């Protein structure tokens, strides 16, 4: 059983499903045969035989001027009766008025055309845009080309809505220049922003403070002029970058921001200086005109293109025939010798003042002193030594010899120090020994004592009162070798004359073989050498009695005047006795 179409040009869009009742008979369909029936469901498949069609020719859309780029501003849709991929539609904006500000794409789920904003809108610039959109099938069937073009066109009209917008700067970025050391308060430029809305509002400006760098400048809130607030130094900061904000007076919340770059221009305020080390060397065997050092200059200022440095020798050094400066005219110079050979023994260091000038305005110059050290070199000019040791090497003294000489000098100094220390120690021991000897009291102390008021040095009680003599008292002025017992003396009678007592003691010592041969200060009050009255000791005293004159004691002072009067009276009373 073959089923065939009975009608031409069946349309799926009109009717898609068909049901056909089929009967089958045996016996060739003759009478008496048996029959059976069944239903056949027939579905028409779709072909792209229908182009897309817009339901209306004009679409009206509205969009705020503050809409962001890329945002969706509206949707349009073309109808295609086909099914599946035959109904897939592609939308395109026909080039024309305002079409470059918008873009359209297809929503795969709904087959709608989605219109998006491609560029920002401005109500004050243009209030409406009109353009055409074309819808076409992606998959065409060549059997139906004769039906006509499978696309449709509609007009889209977009009206821009006015919104309250922030002020707009005249430039996207501002670049300004100012010289360093410009006085504070100098205006260096201005920014401008406008409110383009209907019934525009005034604008106020202020700096977006982010760090301390912004404090170097100020801005006039009304005019937008930028001025310096502090002195600028290009060597410290060559460029400043900050932002300025503009806001509407009617709505301060609406603000806009712009970036400002200020370049600090250089002022020639620093002189050039030598950029190489200030010390170099020259060989003793150098020849005239030999270049010993090439110098270059460096300037802290921002050197403009084509800046030149000039080099010359200082005027006060030009008269000295030692070195000269040769300017190569390429911002370098050479230090050249002017004499044949140098001697370290005569002069080890030379100081060459080099004057460097720049070509900026105003001209700055500086004097740099090069230190040149004379060194010993070989015949090829290779430096062998520049230190102090090298000066002694030509004399024939090696390093070992110099060390030996220094060691000898140190040894001699140590010997001298030890000798002086021993001499001082020996002298100190001698003084201590002499001070321990009691006999040296007479030698070292040439002191006549305090007279009658001095009762500390010696015991003169025996002279005043013979009764207080201690019979067993050992002599204090000597250091006896062996302990000896005191001699038995006859008792002294009361009221014995002092002269008789002295004479008696004198005679005892004269005839005593054990008496020491030196004076006893405690008993006889020896006054030492050099006394005008001479000694009263038994050594120098005479055993014979002779007349003496005591008047000279009056010349010694008031203390001895009483003694002179006392002995003078005794002499007048007993003229036959002498002391």
């Amino acid at each position: 059983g073959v089923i065939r179409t009975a009608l031409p040009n069946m349309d799926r869009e009109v009717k898609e499903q068909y049901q056909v009742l089929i009967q089958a008979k045996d016996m060739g369909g003759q009478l008496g045969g048996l029959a059976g029936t069944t239903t056949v469901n027939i579905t028409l498949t779709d072909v792209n035989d229908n182009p897309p069609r817009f339901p209306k020719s004009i679409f009206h859309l509205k969009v705020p001027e503050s809409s962001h780029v890329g945002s969706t501003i509206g949707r349009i849709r073309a109808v295609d009766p086909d099914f599946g991929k035959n109904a897939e539609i592609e939308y395109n904006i026909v080039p024309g008025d305002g079409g470059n500000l918008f873009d359209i794409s297809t929503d795969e789920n709904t087959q709608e055309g989605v219109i998006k904003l491609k560029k920002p809108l401005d109500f004050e610039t243009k209030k409406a845009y009109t353009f055409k959109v074309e819808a076409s099938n992606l998959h065409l069937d060549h059997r139906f080309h004769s039906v006509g073009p499978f696309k449709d066109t509609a007009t889209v009209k977009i009206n821009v809505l006015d919104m309250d917008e922030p002020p707009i700067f005249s430039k996207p970025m501002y670049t300004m220049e100012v010289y360093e050391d410009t006085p504070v308060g100098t205006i260096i430029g201005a920014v401008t922003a406008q409110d383009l809305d209907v019934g525009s509002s005034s604008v106020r400006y202020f700096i977006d403070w982010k760090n301390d760098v912004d404090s170097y400048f100020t801005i006039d809130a009304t005019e937008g002029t930028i001025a310096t607030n502090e002195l600028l130094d290009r060597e410290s900061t060559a460029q400043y970058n900050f932002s300025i904000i503009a806001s509407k007076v009617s709505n301060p919340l609406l603000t806009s921001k712009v970036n400002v770059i200020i370049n600090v221009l250089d002022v020639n305020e620093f002189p050039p200086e030598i950029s190489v080390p200030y010390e170099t060397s020259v060989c003793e065997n150098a020849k005239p005109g030999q270049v010993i050092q090439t110098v270059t200059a460096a300037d802290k200022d921002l050197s403009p293109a084509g800046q030149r440095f000039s080099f010359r020798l200082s005027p006060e050094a030009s008269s000295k025939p030692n070195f000269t400066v040769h300017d190569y005219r390429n911002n370098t110079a050479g230090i050249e010798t002017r004499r044949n050979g140098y001697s370290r023994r005569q002069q080890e260091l030379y100081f060459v003042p080099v004057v460097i000038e720049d070509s900026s305005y105003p001209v700055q110059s500086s004097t740099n002193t090069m230190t040149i050290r004379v060194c010993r070199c070989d015949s090829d000019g290779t430096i062998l030594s520049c230190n102090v040791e090298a000066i002694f090497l030509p004399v024939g003294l090696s390093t070992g010899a110099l060390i030996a000489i220094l060691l000898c000098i140190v040894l001699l100094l140590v010997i001298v120090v030890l000798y002086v220390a021993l001499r001082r120690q020996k002298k100190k021991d001698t003084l201590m020994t002499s001070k321990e000897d009691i006999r040296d009291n007479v030698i070292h102390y040439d002191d006549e004592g305090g007279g009658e008021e001095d009762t500390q040095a010696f015991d003169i009680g025996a002279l005043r009162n013979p009764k207080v003599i201690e019979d067993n008292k050992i002599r204090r002025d000597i250091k006896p070798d062996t302990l000896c017992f005191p001699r038995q003396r006859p008792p002294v009678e009361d009221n014995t004359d002092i002269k008789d007592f002295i004479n008696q003691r004198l005679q005892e010592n004269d005839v005593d073989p054990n008496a020491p041969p030196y004076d006893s200060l405690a008993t006889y009050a020896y006054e030492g050498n050099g006394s005008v009255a001479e000694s009263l000791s038994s050594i120098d005293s005479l055993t014979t009695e002779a007349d003496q004159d005591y008047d000279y004691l009056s010349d010694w002072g008031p203390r001895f005047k009483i003694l002179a009067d006392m002995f003078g009276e005794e002499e007048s009373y007993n003229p036959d006795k002498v002391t």
Side-chain angles (χ1 to χ4, degrees), residues 331-479:
N331 292 342
T332 62
I335 308 297
E336 299 179 355
T337 58
R338 296 181 60 184
R339 51 186 288 186
N340 188 9
Y342 299 85
S343 175
R344 284 180 295 168
R345 293 187 180 88
Q346 295 180 358
Q347 187 172 351
E348 183 183 0
L349 296 176
Y350 291 89
F351 301 97
V352 179
V354 180
V355 179
I356 307 177
E357 290 184 354
D358 57 20
S359 58
S360 300
Y361 181 83
V363 176
Q364 298 287 347
S365 65
S366 65
T367 301
N368 303 262
T369 302
M370 293 285 298
T371 302
I372 301 178
R373 185 182 299 274
V374 180
C375 300
R376 185 169 64 91
C377 306
D378 56 11
S379 59
D380 297 333
T382 303
I383 297 177
L384 299 178
S385 179
C386 292
N387 52 21
V388 180
E389 175 188 348
I391 300 178
F392 295 95
L393 293 178
V395 184
L397 295 178
S398 63
T399 304
L402 292 176
I403 296 176
I405 293 174
L406 293 177
L407 291 177
C408 292
I409 294 174
V410 172
L411 183 60
L412 289 176
L413 291 176
V414 172
I415 293 175
V416 171
V417 171
L418 292 176
Y419 176 75
V420 173
L422 291 175
R423 287 291 303 273
R424 292 183 177 179
Q425 184 66 29
K426 184 177 180 181
K427 184 175 180 181
K428 181 178 181 181
D429 295 342
T430 304
L431 293 176
M432 293 177 62
T433 303
S434 61
K435 290 179 181 179
E436 292 177 356
D437 192 354
I438 301 177
R439 294 173 295 178
D440 288 343
N441 290 340
V442 179
I443 298 173
H444 291 285
Y445 298 97
D446 189 11
D447 188 7
E448 296 181 358
E452 295 178 354
E453 298 177 359
D454 188 1
T455 60
Q456 302 296 329
F458 308 102
D459 185 10
I460 61 176
L463 297 178
R464 296 180 178 178
N465 188 359
K467 292 183 179 181
V468 299
I469 299 178
E470 298 179 4
D471 295 336
N472 297 328
K473 187 176 182 182
I474 301 176
R475 301 179 61 175
R476 297 177 300 167
D477 57 342
I478 64 174
K479 191 174 184 180

Side-chain angles (χ1 to χ4, degrees), residues 211-250:
N211 48 50
D212 295 337
V213 177
D214 301 333
S215 63
Y216 283 87
F217 305 93
T218 59
I219 187 170
D220 186 272
T222 304
E223 302 296 333
T225 56
I226 301 175
T228 58
N229 194 36
E230 296 182 18
L231 289 178
L232 306 179
D233 184 12
R234 190 206 64 83
E235 287 71 29
S236 176
T237 305
Q239 187 182 80
Y240 295 90
N241 191 337
F242 56 93
S243 299
I244 293 179
I245 298 176
S247 64
K248 297 175 63 172
V249 176
S250 59

Side-chain angles (χ1 to χ4, degrees), residues 6 15 27 36 70 88 160 187 199 317 321 345 352 388 463 483 510 556:
K15 186 175 183 180
M27 294 181 66
E88 293 180 359
V160 180
I187 297 176
R345 293 187 180 88
V352 179
V388 180
L463 297 178
L483 183 62
D510 287 342
W556 292 1

Side-chain angles (χ1 to χ4, degrees), residues 3-19:
I3 300 175
R4 291 184 176 87
T5 59
L7 298 175
N9 300 324
M10 290 187 296
D11 191 0
R12 187 200 66 84
E13 288 74 24
V14 176
K15 186 175 183 180
E16 182 179 2
Q17 298 287 339
Y18 290 89
Q19 289 183 344

Side-chain angles (χ1 to χ4, degrees), residues 140-245:
L140 300 178
D141 193 339
H142 62 278
R143 294 175 299 176
F144 302 99
H145 286 173
S146 60
V147 177
F150 282 75
K151 60 183 178 181
D152 194 11
T153 303
T155 301
V156 178
K157 186 174 182 180
I158 298 177
N159 294 319
V160 180
L161 302 178
D162 187 22
M163 303 295 293
D164 194 5
E165 297 178 302
I168 304 299
F169 284 96
S170 60
K171 295 181 181 180
M173 184 181 66
Y174 291 85
T175 301
M176 304 177 185
E177 294 180 347
V178 59
Y179 283 96
E180 62 179 337
D181 297 332
T182 299
V184 176
T186 303
I187 297 176
I188 59 178
V191 296
T192 304
Q194 294 180 352
D195 180 17
L196 302 179
D197 294 334
V198 177
S200 61
S201 172
S202 301
V203 178
R204 294 292 180 264
Y205 306 92
F206 57 93
I207 296 177
D208 185 14
W209 300 100
K210 292 182 179 180
N211 48 50
D212 295 337
V213 177
D214 301 333
S215 63
Y216 283 87
F217 305 93
T218 59
I219 187 170
D220 186 272
T222 304
E223 302 296 333
T225 56
I226 301 175
T228 58
N229 194 36
E230 296 182 18
L231 289 178
L232 306 179
D233 184 12
R234 190 206 64 83
E235 287 71 29
S236 176
T237 305
Q239 187 182 80
Y240 295 90
N241 191 337
F242 56 93
S243 299
I244 293 179
I245 298 176

